[in-house]
Amino acid sequence: TGACTVKVTAASTPSSASRTLRLASGSVGGSTVGNATITGTPSTVTYKIPSAGTYYLYSTRNGIYVYQVNVAY
């Protein structure tokens, strides 16, 4: 479709660690759209996707629980 906003609720494990949650276009390791630091407390982060395409959401170092993903056009 086109540009959208992605909201992700996530927390790291173990709770004492901080992790990076990355959204990339095209492939894992592709062009980074955004990074968010995830801590042990569940929180919501927002990514703005500029155009239609294939996007990947992943931890750069394991240990992230993803509780919810919302996409709004």
Side-chain angles (χ1 to χ4, degrees), residues 7-71:
K7 291 186 178 183
V8 180
T9 303
S12 71
T13 181
S15 61
S16 60
S18 291
R19 307 274 193 230
T20 300
L21 185 63
R22 177 169 292 156
L23 182 71
S25 65
S27 65
V28 172
S31 184
T32 299
V33 174
N35 287 316
T37 300
I38 304 298
T39 63
T41 303
S43 60
T44 301
V45 296
T46 302
Y47 300 94
K48 293 185 186 252
I49 294 180
S51 60
T54 301
Y55 293 87
Y56 294 82
L57 181 69
Y58 59 96
S59 171
T60 60
R61 217 180 113 225
N62 301 323
I64 293 180
Y65 292 124
V66 174
Y67 298 105
Q68 186 173 23
V69 177
N70 291 311
V71 179

